[in-house]
Amino acid sequence: MTDQRELFDDAHQRALRYLAGVDDRPVFPDREALDGLDALDGDLPDQPSEPLDVLRLLDERGSPAAVAQMGPRYFGFVNGGALPVGLAARWLGDAWDQNTAHWVMSPVGGRLEDVSERWLVDLLRLPSGSAAGFTTGTMLANLSGLAAGRNELYRRQGIDVRDDGLYGLDPLTVVVNEQSHAAVFKALSLLGMGRANVRTVPVDAQGALDASRLPPLDDRTLVVLQAGNVNSGAFDPIGEVCTRGSGAWVHVDGAFGLWARASSTFDRHTQGWELADSWALDAHKTLNAPYDSGIVICKDRRALTDAFEATASYFAYTDQREGMRYTPSMSKRARAVELWAILKALGRRGVADLVDQLHHRARLFADLLRAEGFRIHNDVVFNQVLASAGDAATTRATLQRIQDSGECWCGASTFGGEAVIRISVCSWRTTEDDVRRSVRAFVAARS
Ligand SMILES: *Cc1c(COP(=O)(O)O)cnc(C)c1O
């Protein structure tokens, strides 16, 4: 243990040094840092190396090349920051190195999944008794909810697609928001339902599904709605679609936006979300859990666990939490460790405050940019801001200079056919001063 202690202390010191510098480093690594990665390359060594030397090399060359997503001015994609309590719990949980496939492999991991499930369902005001599975992210959470829905709609017709597959069956009707996230189409493709074989529903100017243009729904229909358009943050009229009482299975992709249910600020958008059948969300986005951490929630526990049923002579199912029955994975790390710690540390109030804070900083960002003559393309209903600096070429050139500045980092997108800079305020660390500093970087980049 003595030599391990030295190694772990060393890792700890290096991690703390990284975190201490994360506010001020370039948000995206510069050329020199990227070139430094060559030192991590080369042939597989024939001989062992000293672990302390391996760690030093990783830190010296890896840390400078890390993207400062842990810092306060990373606004790319929709990538959350990481709350200290979550990261610390993760460090402890990593020392445990638990596998949560079976309860008997990790009673603590299983128990934390049970508790996190209950707390999340309560926090998001979903039907009590709903089941949660813990995945790598919303892609797999979408896949899980859609697998449960697909199987259940066929099961109600007396067909078990788990055994027989989809061969020769009348297809289900799959109805999606035309601006659904790529993860939805990827999941549909993996599930044998096809990316293109869907009915797309047009959206309004904000990217929310237009309920008046839905096709007829019935008990052979799988509907996929969005809580949070990936560009604008707009919320689909989920309650309105669900109250049609069609017998359709409604799945909600709420990767970052489902967290709006945790704050009363968003009540006017979030009515009726509990009426859906399944929901997918990311803890690594709005909740600021460390990567990677997604969640599927399903009203019908049996539909979810049936979808992932697997048997082998050595499996040890009990009536306790068997993690592998809730997700496509078998072996998996104990993601509920940090999830539980964050929910315990923040409580209902703290999660609501976090969600509100991201929203307020996004609105400030939009207001300040507008005052500087940038055009804002969306109603800032949540944490997403879409801005442009003029025509497409000017906007793209401005974005390039913003990225090169190292002051902050945003990505490019198009919205309503126009080139935009996509800003996602998704880190607990982003202060109002960080927003002001970033706006100054936008202004400097434009001129
Ligand atoms: C991020 C995101 C996804 C994909 O989630 P991962 O965690 O990357 O798997 C799906 N849908 C929406 C709306 C997202 O924002």
Side-chain angles (χ1 to χ4, degrees), residues 78 136-140 142 181 183 226 228-230 253-256 282 284-285:
V78 188
T136 52
T138 291
M139 161 55 209
L140 276 186
N142 278 334
H181 191 279
Q226 299 198 102
N229 177 293
V230 77
D253 175 358
F256 61 95
D282 272 324
H284 56 226
K285 289 181 179 168

Side-chain angles (χ1 to χ4, degrees), residues 162-434:
R162 298 172 308 166
D163 288 338
D164 300 333
L166 297 169
Y167 305 101
L169 295 179
D170 289 337
L172 300 174
T173 305
V174 180
V175 175
V176 304
N177 175 319
E178 67 176 356
Q179 291 186 2
S180 290
H181 191 279
V184 167
F185 296 105
K186 184 168 174 172
L188 289 170
S189 134
L190 286 168
L191 288 167
M193 294 190 284
R195 264 194 295 259
N197 205 7
V198 295
R199 306 278 297 268
T200 52
V201 183
V203 295
D204 65 17
Q206 291 298 315
L209 176 138
D210 179 351
S212 72
R213 304 186 62 183
L214 272 176
L217 309 178
D218 62 17
D219 59 4
R220 303 164 57 93
T221 309
L222 198 53
V223 185
V224 190
L225 300 177
Q226 299 198 102
N229 177 293
V230 77
N231 279 311
S232 68
F235 302 111
D236 283 350
I238 295 166
E240 193 183 330
V241 176
C242 290
T243 45
R244 298 197 170 187
S246 56
W249 181 285
V250 180
H251 173 80
V252 178
D253 175 358
F256 61 95
L258 202 75
W259 296 101
R261 283 278 283 192
S263 162
S264 58
T265 304
F266 305 97
D267 276 355
R268 74 194 166 89
H269 297 293
T270 66
Q271 299 300 316
W273 289 12
E274 73 283 0
L275 301 172
D277 296 281
S278 53
W279 306 263
L281 69 162
D282 272 324
H284 56 226
K285 289 181 179 168
T286 315
L287 189 67
N288 278 250
Y291 271 80
D292 50 13
S293 187
I295 304 151
V296 58
I297 302 180
C298 188
K299 181 154 61 185
D300 180 345
R301 181 175 303 268
R302 188 199 44 75
L304 186 64
T305 56
D306 273 7
F308 300 119
E309 193 180 272
T311 49
S313 55
Y314 64 92
F315 283 1
Y317 287 129
T318 64
D319 57 5
Q320 310 275 4
R321 160 95 27 180
E322 303 293 343
M324 65 179 256
R325 296 182 65 201
Y326 292 82
T327 74
S329 309
M330 290 193 172
S331 294
K332 58 191 183 62
R333 70 179 186 84
R335 295 192 176 84
V337 169
E338 61 267 17
L339 197 50
W340 174 89
I342 290 172
L343 293 174
K344 179 85 173 163
L346 295 185
R348 216 185 289 279
R349 179 75 265 149
V351 178
D353 287 348
L354 172 62
V355 176
D356 286 350
Q357 175 181 312
L358 300 177
H359 175 56
H360 289 137
R361 306 275 138 96
R363 293 185 59 140
L364 177 66
F365 217 133
D367 290 344
L368 295 176
L369 283 176
R370 215 183 270 113
E372 292 290 352
F374 286 83
R375 179 167 158 223
I376 303 301
H377 292 246
N378 64 319
D379 296 341
V380 182
V381 291
F382 202 53
N383 67 328
Q384 301 290 111
V385 181
L386 304 174
S388 63
D391 61 14
T394 309
T395 298
R396 297 247 189 264
T398 302
L399 176 58
Q400 186 62 54
R401 286 190 290 266
I402 292 168
Q403 292 176 347
D404 293 344
S405 77
E407 281 287 288
C408 64
W409 203 93
C410 313
S413 192
T414 56
F415 191 67
E418 295 184 88
V420 292
I421 300 171
R422 183 162 168 263
I423 303 160
S424 180
V425 181
C426 214
S427 172
W428 69 278
R429 270 188 203 260
T430 304
T431 63
E432 293 191 359
D433 279 346
D434 289 308

Side-chain angles (χ1 to χ4, degrees), residues 45-123:
D46 286 325
Q47 301 301 326
S49 303
E50 224 1 90
L52 275 170
D53 294 337
V54 173
L55 207 66
R56 175 165 28 77
L57 180 62
L58 186 63
D59 186 29
E60 285 174 0
R61 299 306 185 116
S63 295
V67 173
Q69 186 181 292
M70 284 291 277
R73 289 182 308 285
Y74 185 84
F75 308 110
F77 303 92
V78 188
N79 287 3
L83 285 161
V85 68
L87 182 60
R90 168 79 178 266
W91 285 355
L92 179 60
D94 278 352
W96 300 347
D97 192 26
Q98 300 288 280
N99 180 348
T100 58
H102 283 296
W103 184 83
V104 75
M105 292 173 174
S106 178
V108 60
R111 190 62 179 268
L112 292 174
E113 287 197 0
D114 276 341
V115 177
S116 299
E117 170 186 282
R118 226 178 53 243
W119 286 358
L120 284 164
V121 167
D122 181 8
L123 179 74

